[in-house]
Amino acid sequence: MRNDVDITRVLGNIIEDKDADSQDNVSTATSGTSQDEGQEDDVSISNDKKEEKQQEYVPASTEDYIMNHFEDLGYNNSYWKNAEGCPIWDEPKKSTQENYDNLQAYLKEIEDYSLTLKNFDKEVPNLVKTMRKEGYTIDQKELCKAARPHPHGIKALFPSNQLSLTAAGYVEPLLTPMRHPKFCETRAVNKEGMRMDYLIHDFEQLCLNLKPSSMAILIDMGASLNFHSTKEPPIVTLLNSFEKFGFHFDHIYGFEITETNPNKVYKDLLPEKYLHSYHWINTGVSAGKEDKLNPLRSIVSQFDKDDLIIVKLDIDTSDIELPLANQLLEDDSINKLVDHFYFEHHVHMKEIAANWNIAMKGSIQDSFELMNGLRNKGVAAHFWV
C-alpha cells in the first residue's frame, strides 16, 4: 500500500526539515479570549504535523458548562423520557443567562458561517499537489491562507468565542442535541436533523499540518450511499466540503454490511470524481482488536502521523460501534494518527428517540465524555447525523 509514495515521503521529510527552522510557531487564541481581526496570523497552531499532538484541548465555555453540569441538565439519565437535549436552547433558566446568551450568539454565527461557506467561490488549489510541485520554494503559510473562509481566519467568523480548539484547529463545541441546533425549533429529523453545516472545520490549520508527502484518507464505516432521504448522502457532502478547500482524498474506504450490487454503487450512487479513490468493501466491520475487518487495525495503522486521516462511524449497532470508539480513545498508537472522527452515538435522548429506537444505549453524559475524551487525545471528534 505504501511503496508508491516512499520516495515522495522521503523528499517531503527533507523539505520539512530544511523549512523547520524558518517556520513561525504561531500561538493560538483560546476560546475564552477575544481575537483582533487585524492580527490575521494569530488563528493557527504550529505547523509541525501532530508532533504527538502537543496542542492542549481548549473547549468553548458552552461545552465546558455541559461537561460540568451533567446531573443538573439530566444528561446522566439513561431513560430517554428524562433526557432532553433542546431545553438549554429554549430558555435561560435551563442553564444560566450567560450560557444561554452565548448559545444564541453562536446559533446566529453558525447560520452566517453556513452562508459564508455556501458563497465561498475562491478556487483553492489541491494543497498537497501544490506543495509537491513547488518543493523548496513553497511558502506553506501563504499557501494555507487560501483555505481561509474569511480573510482573517475562521475565528473571525465567531466573535462569541464559542469555538473549541483541538490539534486539528478550531471546531464546533460539543453541544446537545448532537445535531444542528435549528433541529430544536422544528424537531424534523429528516430536515434540520440532517443538516451538516453545524460542523466546523479549520481547513487552514489542517493545511498547515500537512507535508508534501501527506496522503488524505477517509474511512467510512456504515457507507450506504442511498440510505438517507436527503438529495446528497452526508458523506458526499463532507467530501465536497473538504475538496472545496483544497483537500482531495487519495483513498476512501467504504464499509457497508447491506449487500449492494457494485454496479449500482459505482454506476448510480458514487459521483464520478471519486471513482479513482473509492474502495467499496461490502461487508460489516469488526470490533475485534486483532481482526482484519477492524479498520482501525488493518487500515489506519498502515498510515502515519503526516497523513490526513478521517474516520466516520455510523453502523447503528452499539455492540460494535462502542468498542471501536473506545479503542480509538484508549489506543494512543491509533488516536495519534486520526485527525477527525465523526460518530452518531445512539444514546438515550428524547428528541431523537423515535428514530434511534432500540439502537439507543447509554446516556448523553456517556457520549460527551467519550467525544470530549477523544478531543483531549488530539482527535477532533464530531457528532454525526
Side-chain angles (χ1 to χ4, degrees), residues 92-215:
K93 69 179 183 180
K94 295 300 182 181
S95 56
T96 66
Q97 184 68 52
E98 179 183 10
N99 191 63
Y100 176 80
D101 290 344
N102 284 333
L103 288 171
Q104 296 308 306
Y106 175 67
L107 175 56
K108 182 181 184 306
E109 289 164 2
I110 57 174
E111 290 289 79
D112 292 342
Y113 169 76
S114 175
L115 187 61
T116 297
L117 293 194
K118 183 178 180 180
N119 294 332
F120 185 86
D121 58 3
K122 185 167 72 171
E123 187 173 342
V124 181
N126 184 316
L127 296 168
V128 170
K129 278 191 175 181
T130 302
M131 291 180 193
R132 291 172 184 169
K133 181 179 178 181
E134 299 298 328
Y136 291 101
T137 66
I138 192 72
D139 184 337
Q140 186 168 345
K141 197 171 180 181
E142 284 301 314
L143 172 65
C144 293
K145 287 181 181 179
R148 290 181 173 182
H150 183 281
H152 300 303
I154 192 170
K155 191 89 162 35
L157 294 169
F158 294 88
S160 69
N161 292 309
Q162 291 308 311
L163 293 183
S164 297
L165 180 61
T166 71
Y170 289 104
V171 295
E172 76 282 356
L174 296 172
L175 301 169
T176 52
M178 301 187 283
R179 287 288 194 279
H180 195 293
K182 280 289 183 180
F183 166 72
C184 288
E185 296 180 8
T186 66
R187 310 299 172 95
V189 175
N190 290 327
K191 292 183 178 179
E192 281 76 12
M194 293 302 297
R195 285 182 62 175
M196 300 275 291
D197 50 349
Y198 73 99
L199 299 172
I200 309 297
H201 299 95
D202 190 343
F203 292 113
E204 179 184 11
Q205 184 58 52
L206 287 177
C207 173
L208 289 169
N209 287 347
L210 295 174
K211 290 183 178 180
S213 56
S214 296
M215 300 183 74

Side-chain angles (χ1 to χ4, degrees), residues 78-94:
S78 293
Y79 181 50
W80 65 267
K81 287 186 177 180
N82 295 330
E84 297 182 72
C86 287
I88 60 169
W89 295 92
D90 297 337
E91 50 185 318
K93 69 179 183 180
K94 295 300 182 181

Side-chain angles (χ1 to χ4, degrees), residues 10-22 136 211:
V10 171
L11 290 174
N13 290 334
I14 293 172
I15 292 169
E16 185 66 19
D17 290 342
K18 284 182 175 290
D19 286 348
D21 293 336
S22 63
Y136 291 101
K211 290 183 178 180

